[in-house]
Structures are given as C-alpha cells and as structure tokens.
Amino acid sequence: ERVGNTLATPPEQSTSKTESTGEGMDICSTTAHYLEHTGNSDNASPALKLVSNKAVVYQTFNDDPENSLEVYKFISSVALPDNANDVFIKVQASTVSFSDCLIRQGLWWGSGKACLPATPGVDVVGRVCSLSQSASDRYGIQPNDYVAALIRCGGNARYVKTHASSLVRVPKEVDPASAACMVETYLTAFQSLHVGEDHDRRYRTDQYVGKSVLVIGGISMVGQAMIELAQLAGASRVYATATPKHHKFLK
C-alpha cells in the first residue's frame, strides 16, 4: 500500500482477481452500478450503453491491504442517477491516501463507517458522463466536463457517482494525476482558512488584505497548501510554525 501515491484507474488489460457480471454486486452507495448513456431529460428513458467497470474492493475492515484488496470486474446498467442532483463520473485518476487507509481499517467516521464491501479512493478526477438536466441547470455542469471531487469512498474505480455540488472544474492544462493529488489536501486547507465565511467572500483575492495569518504546522502538506492559499487571498503576512530544520524551506 503506497500511502499518498497516485493510483490511476486500471488499464483494460489488467487481470482481475475476481470477476462478476451480475447485478447483485453492491460496492457502497457511491460505487455500485455505473453506466454511460445518451440523453439528459429527467423524465425520458435514456438510450443506455453497457460499460465494463472495474473497482478495487475490500470486504472487511482490516490492516492487511496486500491480502484484502481485490480488483472486481463487472458489467451493469442503470438509467439516470436516482437522485436528480447526482452525477456519474468516468474516473481518470484517484489516490490511495492516509484517509483511505484509516477508512479501510474502520478508524474513520465513528459509527458512520463505510458500508461493506467498499472501494477506497476519496480523491477523484475524471469526466462527467451522466447527469440529469436539472443538475446541469442548477450547478452548471455539462457532459464531458473535466472535474474533481472529494468523496467518502469509491474513487478507485472506472466509474463513480457523487453529488453535483461536490464537483470542481479542473483546468485542462492540469493532468489528472496531479489534480487528484491536490483534492483532499487543498480542500482541507481552503475550508480551514475560510471557515464561517459566506460563499462570495471565500473566493475573493482581497479577502485577507491587511491581515496576518498563522499556520500551525506549516511543513505539513495541508500547512503548505494553507500558506499558498492565504497568499492568493491577499494576506499581508503569513506566519508558520515548524521545527528549526524546516525554517529555511518555509521562508
């Protein structure tokens, strides 16, 4: 298990340990039964195209990734998402992060653990392949949009479902692997930096003009992201704590 390393979706020629072509497989609410289709009407029956999906799956909470993680290959068919605000994404890159390791061990969310069997991957980057017209109108998302999202689980698959409000467009010049490595770190930093602020103020480049920001643990990945985002928000001074050996790097 390579904590923090990017895990791209498996290539077509990958050999899966387990194969299933039935409809009974349920890999968590965010990862089960995906399909590309044509048509966006909420009420119409879209023309469906079966897709071959693959997902990394574990059946029990454990600390033994080598013997617990398997690749499942399955074919499914669904119409538009049951929830009109959900979107299906064809995954281009996902990660195996420290959060994924904690979730797999059952050490995350307390009583709200991931349902089993589950697929890891809280960071996901890909292309929108299915959404309702209402989701498109409400959130400005279009088919084939290049997007990223932070989800509870499910990114280590070829297709994943998530709420349209969780999507962020990715600049076309950023490759999927690089984008996937930024999602959890920068979203955590952004939310910490702008907690309690309304939507419009969060995205202003003069939000922290004339203000100073103190980052505790500036050498961490989230800490470095906070420093960068504070500067982008116009902070006059950014201070960070770190052990002496890291002072030169932070300066």
Side-chain angles (χ1 to χ4, degrees):
E1 185 169 12
R2 297 175 295 167
V3 178
N5 286 359
T6 298
L7 174 66
T9 51
E12 285 291 337
Q13 63 269 26
S14 292
T15 301
S16 60
K17 293 183 179 179
T18 307
E19 293 194 0
S20 171
T21 57
E23 291 290 340
M25 184 178 178
D26 183 13
I27 309 176
C28 203
S29 60
T30 56
T31 60
H33 310 319
Y34 311 110
L35 183 72
E36 288 184 85
H37 69 83
T38 58
N40 288 322
S41 173
D42 290 335
N43 299 317
S45 297
L48 302 179
K49 184 178 75 172
L50 291 175
V51 293
S52 175
N53 197 359
K54 281 188 177 181
V56 178
V57 178
Y58 55 91
Q59 304 284 347
T60 61
F61 295 116
N62 66 87
D63 60 359
D64 184 13
E66 183 175 357
N67 293 311
S68 66
L69 296 177
E70 297 181 307
V71 176
Y72 279 75
K73 182 178 180 180
F74 54 100
I75 298 174
S76 299
S77 62
V78 295
L80 290 168
D82 294 335
N83 186 325
N85 292 316
D86 284 344
V87 173
F88 285 109
I89 301 171
K90 187 172 185 178
V91 178
Q92 293 179 297
S94 184
T95 58
V96 179
S97 69
F98 182 59
S99 297
D100 292 311
C101 299
L102 293 178
I103 293 169
R104 193 197 67 247
Q105 294 174 55
L107 302 177
W108 204 255
W109 303 326
S111 60
K113 295 179 181 178
C115 59
L116 295 173
T119 293
V122 297
D123 308 284
V124 62
V125 175
R127 297 277 180 180
V128 173
C129 63
S130 173
L131 78 165
S132 68
Q133 188 62 54
S134 62
S136 179
D137 293 341
R138 182 173 183 180
Y139 297 101
I141 302 296
Q142 301 295 328
N144 204 43
D145 276 357
Y146 182 33
V147 296
L150 182 65
I151 58 180
R152 288 173 64 92
C153 62
N156 293 179
R158 283 216 176 105
Y159 294 84
V160 69
K161 180 177 70 174
T162 188
H163 197 280
S165 64
S166 69
L167 300 181
V168 176
R169 286 190 180 86
V170 179
K172 62 181 180 180
E173 62 270 19
V174 179
D175 71 272
S178 297
C181 291
M182 296 176 64
V183 177
E184 184 177 13
T185 299
Y186 275 79
L187 182 58
T188 301
F190 182 85
Q191 291 181 333
S192 300
L193 192 62
H194 297 285
V195 62
E197 298 174 359
D198 59 49
H199 181 274
D200 293 334
R201 291 177 62 84
R202 283 183 165 204
Y203 298 97
R204 286 170 47 178
T205 56
D206 61 350
Q207 174 64 21
Y208 285 103
V209 170
K211 298 180 180 180
S212 298
V213 175
L214 171 63
V215 178
I216 306 299
I219 197 61
S220 68
M221 296 297 100
V222 173
Q224 292 177 51
M226 288 189 70
I227 292 171
E228 183 178 351
L229 293 175
Q231 293 174 327
L232 291 173
S236 299
R237 291 184 176 85
V238 180
Y239 301 93
T241 65
T243 55
K245 66 179 180 179
H246 296 304
H247 288 182
K248 182 177 180 180
F249 172 80
L250 287 177
K251 288 180 180 179

